[in-house]
Amino acid sequence: MPLTEINFDGIVGPTHNYSGLSLGNLAATRNAGAVSRPRAAALQGIAKMRANLALGLPQGILLPHRRPNAAWLAALGSSAGPADPLLLANALSASPMWAANAATVSPAPDTADGRCHLSVANLMTMPHRSHEWPETLAQLNLAFADRRHFAVHGPVPPPFGDEGAANHMRLAPAHDAPGVEIFVYGVAGGPYPARQSRQASEAVARRHGLDPARTLFVAQSKAAIAAGAFHNDVVAVADGRVLLAHEQAFADPAGFYADLRRLLPEVEIVEVPADRVSLADAIRSYLFNAQLVTLPGGQTALVLPTDAGEVPAVRAWAEEASAGNGPIRQLHFVDVRESMANGGGPACLRLRVVADPATIDPRFLVDAAGLDRIAAVISTHWPEAIDPARIADPGLWHAAETARAALLADRGIDLP
Ligand code: SUG
């Protein structure tokens, strides 16, 4: 079977909660202290995957991590307990759900050895995310174990922050053709941390064996980070020949677009002007955190959060764009409100891998029946609600462990 793009969605874990851990992520900060609904959150994620399957797109999954992360707490000389609520919240976060931050992926047609390369992200800027990579790496090593087709790399060492595919875009005439890989990095100095460093991106590109002539390193605009674009995928998204970006996403958009047109003359750049959609509205609505997908018939569609449809300027722009002669032909709305309230939209919830599905461990691929089974496990085992003031309750940790174990058993997957 030919190479195709597969979206691997992170299943929302049973400890999903609003502890406000991510500085610079305005939604997460705004909702700090609110009561979360892990079961509804996970089922929203399943419904999004069902909708993508119905569009004819192949679908994969990544699993919730063990929480609280006892190994991480032990390394800090702490055991899970009420003594240090902030440390506990960091050990309990369900943040691995945002699979766009799991790794950076370079498909086989772009790499020197003709294999698909994956580099697990170190996520070192935020404490609650910095301990994700060991289990993410374990899952990637299972799902992409076939070394004839995949190379899986460990994290880039500190102090170079790497947040994975959320700051990486790929444009290509077709998913299975050589493309241009674009690494977007942040420059420190604004009010919020710049989570992706240029050095980390350069290291990933070298390790993946990318052709320097077809690799671009592009700076995020300071205005975007200051407005709450803690990852580039909050202000830009690319698929196939189409780049959709906010006018203020990049420090030097003209230089970037010129490079892109030189390397890929057929590129279609859809820039959303700030006088149609302000940066604030872009970030509030997550217009750009949509999944830009190529449907089996070749059309390009945008899978948006329902929240985007509720901001009038955003809805007007999207409807006009899809009704005109531009490359985006269809809009689909999905409700992922529980994830959105922590700053994660449809695109954050998925990691794209271009590969032949037959070369991937089938336990990490799902069809409609597989999703039904996962939904049944979630409906039985996931807590209905979590009040972040009560995360020190050992009953919650026990329920979380049992819930995850039930899901791993259903998939036949053994993880520590
Ligand atoms: O890293 N939120 C995540 C959201 C990640 C979104 N991903 C992409 N844009 N690709 C983050 O900021 C909030 C958790 C908390 O505050 O409890 C959180 O981690």
Side-chain angles (χ1 to χ4, degrees), residues 293-313:
V293 292
T294 307
L295 301 178
Q299 277 196 353
T300 297
L302 199 58
V303 179
L304 296 147
T306 42
D307 315 58
E310 287 160 12
V311 177

Side-chain angles (χ1 to χ4, degrees), residues 12 15 33 61 64 76 125-126 143 182 214 231 245 248 254 267 273 320 406 413:
V12 179
T15 62
I61 51 165
L76 290 164
T125 305
M126 295 290 162
I182 302 140
R214 301 182 62 77
H231 290 138
Q248 291 163 293
V267 69
E320 200 179 297
I413 293 174

Side-chain angles (χ1 to χ4, degrees), residues 165-341:
N167 299 299
H168 174 255
M169 302 187 287
R170 176 174 191 260
L171 288 154
H175 290 145
D176 60 357
V180 178
E181 296 204 13
I182 302 140
F183 292 82
V184 184
Y185 60 91
V187 179
Y192 299 132
R195 291 165 63 167
Q196 181 73 36
S197 77
R198 179 175 176 133
Q199 290 93 334
S201 296
E202 288 173 344
V204 169
R206 279 191 296 268
R207 291 165 6 149
H208 290 190
L210 299 181
D211 177 355
R214 301 182 62 77
T215 306
L216 298 175
F217 298 95
V218 175
Q220 250 193 309
S221 80
K222 279 195 176 162
I225 300 180
F230 54 94
H231 290 138
N232 173 64
D233 69 1
V234 175
V235 280
V237 59
D239 174 71
R241 307 161 189 216
V242 184
L243 169 68
L244 170 65
H246 191 270
E247 185 184 359
Q248 291 163 293
F250 308 109
D252 174 19
F256 170 36
Y257 299 160
D259 283 341
L260 213 44
R261 291 196 174 101
R262 177 174 52 79
L263 293 171
L264 191 75
E266 61 266 65
V267 69
E268 300 195 63
I269 300 173
V270 183
E271 193 187 67
V272 182
D275 63 11
R276 288 295 310 272
V277 176
S278 67
L279 258 186
D281 274 354
I283 286 157
R284 172 149 30 111
S285 68
Y286 267 32
L287 163 64
F288 298 92
N289 203 259
Q291 288 181 258
L292 190 62
V293 292
T294 307
L295 301 178
Q299 277 196 353
T300 297
L302 199 58
V303 179
L304 296 147
T306 42
D307 315 58
E310 287 160 12
V311 177
V314 171
R315 177 155 211 129
W317 181 86
E319 284 178 350
E320 200 179 297
S322 62
N325 280 330
I328 299 168
R329 312 309 304 214
Q330 298 183 22
L331 304 178
H332 297 276
F333 288 91
V334 291
D335 176 359
V336 288
R337 279 178 206 282
E338 282 285 319
S339 169
M340 284 284 288

